[in-house]
Amino acid sequence: MHSTTPGAEILRQLGFAAHDDHGLTASFAKFDDGADFRIEVPAVNSLATFSGILRRARRQGIFVNRATETLGLFRHTRRELRDYLSLARDEGVAMYFSAGPPAEYDAGATRPTPRTGGCAGDRLRGVDQVRNALDDVLRGIDLGCRNFVVHDEGLLHILSLARSRRRIPAEVRFKASARLGYANAAGVRLLAGLGADSVTPVRDLPPAAVAAMRQAVDVPLDLHTDNPPGSGGFVRTYEIPDLVRVARPVHLMPGDAAPAAHGAVTDTADGERMADQTAIVVETLQRLAPELRQSPAGTETPPAAGPRTPVNGVGGRPLTVSPLTDPDKGLGPIKDGGLRPAKDKPYA
């Protein structure tokens, strides 16, 4: 472990660990309800999939805390979105929608580069697409959605500013997507500082890298436990107890092994396979780590927005990560292009 190099010394001086946590230091942080983990099913890309997951989960005797749509909010009709939200409310599931349109739907030639854990090129192209994505979020808010997956750092920055200035409701929460491609503790701290309420790193990180992330931020980490065949196909079931111990509070994300590829339009059968994989994850934790507790259904309570500090009291003081943040928060100047106070009535 090259922890005595000049680079290691700079990392320590800046408040970062000089290496991944190969000792797998246990995290003692938990969700507000005292639980260690929650279950989040990703790629819930149709209402039929969502229904299939929930029906099968009931049959398996398990429950889902939150679900994530990854096709793109703008690709669903108003009626379908309302049905999503109604079903989520009835079942006590926090429903997250992806804010789009990402580069894969744009008219340009740039396409995401798949890797096992994210797409390095899946950003919004130009201010026009940032505006379109912002309008996408506002459409979702008008329909009742309060949870969004964000795959562009600039959009995350704008949304965080809008929330701090009450241009969008204070209870809106942002999940940083694995498509951002972040894979180390410094990057995760950057996303948390930009306003992410939870962060999804790339999918194939070893537990030591995940443990270092937990020591850098206090927001929940969202960890995939399996991956579609089209981009690796791994299933890391037996690592899950260790991942929970070092990453808690953590959202475990099982079920991606069911669809053939990222971004697929899933159906009822996919949903049932997702629920089956989720049941395997829950059963494994109950068998190998019965002391680890899942939050009950209906208790998804994201942490309040605000400055982030290391959860285990290590890693030092977080850096100021954005030069364009809201001056009201004391984190730097905002230029003429920034958001201004609303002339109309702001959200409470």
Side-chain angles (χ1 to χ4, degrees):
M1 235 93 57
H2 303 288
S3 57
T4 59
T5 67
E9 183 60 26
I10 289 175
L11 285 170
R12 280 192 288 266
Q13 289 174 353
L14 294 176
F16 291 93
H19 51 75
D20 288 331
D21 184 3
H22 297 276
L24 300 184
T25 303
S27 167
F28 295 100
K30 297 176 184 290
F31 287 105
D32 290 344
D33 61 1
D36 303 288
F37 70 95
R38 293 173 179 170
I39 293 294
E40 172 182 347
V41 181
V44 183
N45 291 343
S46 73
L47 190 62
T49 304
F50 196 20
S51 298
I53 289 170
L54 296 176
R55 283 197 303 270
R56 189 67 153 238
R58 285 195 295 271
R59 187 181 306 172
Q60 294 280 12
I62 62 172
F63 55 87
V64 174
N65 298 104
R66 69 182 190 179
T68 307
E69 181 275 342
T70 59
L71 186 65
L73 189 150
F74 81 114
R75 299 193 65 189
H76 298 283
T77 66
R78 293 172 63 88
R79 179 172 181 176
E80 186 176 18
L81 292 171
R82 287 195 178 103
D83 287 345
Y84 260 115
L85 293 168
S86 177
L87 183 56
R89 184 173 56 251
D90 291 346
E91 297 288 336
V93 178
M95 188 71 215
Y96 280 69
F97 290 99
S98 294
E104 62 194 275
Y105 298 134
D106 205 344
T110 301
R111 289 293 179 267
T113 302
R115 293 182 64 85
T116 55
C119 304
D122 199 8
R123 301 300 197 280
L124 297 169
R125 291 161 42 92
V127 176
D128 287 349
Q129 287 291 49
V130 172
R131 183 197 62 242
N132 291 337
L134 181 57
D135 284 332
D136 205 28
V137 170
L138 294 175
R139 174 182 180 242
I141 289 173
D142 287 343
L143 292 171
C145 181
R146 292 296 183 268
N147 306 306
F148 298 92
V149 183
V150 182
H151 54 259
D152 181 276
E153 300 93 329
L155 177 63
L156 177 60
H157 178 53
I158 293 296
L159 289 170
S160 182
L161 283 174
R163 179 173 61 182
S164 72
R165 294 182 174 219
R166 298 192 299 164
R167 296 308 306 269
I168 60 177
E171 69 270 18
V172 170
R173 293 294 175 260
F174 307 123
K175 166 186 166 72
S177 171
R179 291 185 172 194
L180 285 161
Y182 281 77
N184 58 66
V188 169
R189 184 181 288 184
L190 173 68
L191 294 174
L194 288 174
D197 296 292
S198 69
V199 176
T200 315
V202 299
R203 300 160 184 255
D204 57 350
L205 292 176
V210 174
M213 289 178 174
R214 170 46 65 222
Q215 294 172 19
V217 296
D218 68 345
V219 297
L221 298 174
D222 309 335
L223 302 180
H224 289 86
T225 66
D226 45 81
N227 210 46
S231 54
F234 63 76
V235 180
R236 58 194 310 181
T237 303
Y238 285 101
E239 286 185 296
I240 293 172
D242 281 340
L243 286 172
V244 174
R245 291 187 184 104
V246 301
R248 58 188 166 185
V250 59
H251 293 99
L252 297 174
M253 301 175 64
D256 252 355
H262 292 291
V265 180
T266 51
D267 58 19
T268 302
D270 289 322
E272 292 174 348
R273 288 192 295 271
M274 290 175 180
D276 288 343
Q277 182 61 32
T278 301
I280 293 169
V281 167
V282 173
E283 185 269 332
T284 300
L285 283 166
Q286 290 173 342
R287 180 164 52 92
L288 300 182
E291 75 279 6
L292 299 176
R293 189 165 70 85
Q294 179 185 358
S295 291
T299 58
E300 173 75 7
T301 52
R308 310 300 183 189
T309 54
V311 71
N312 285 330
V314 296
R317 181 180 178 182
L319 299 177
T320 298
V321 295
S322 173
L324 295 179
T325 11
D326 192 338
D328 295 336
K329 300 299 181 183
L331 296 178
I334 188 165
K335 305 301 182 183
D336 290 341
L339 293 171
R340 291 176 172 79
K343 294 181 181 179
D344 52 335
K345 182 179 179 181
Y347 285 98

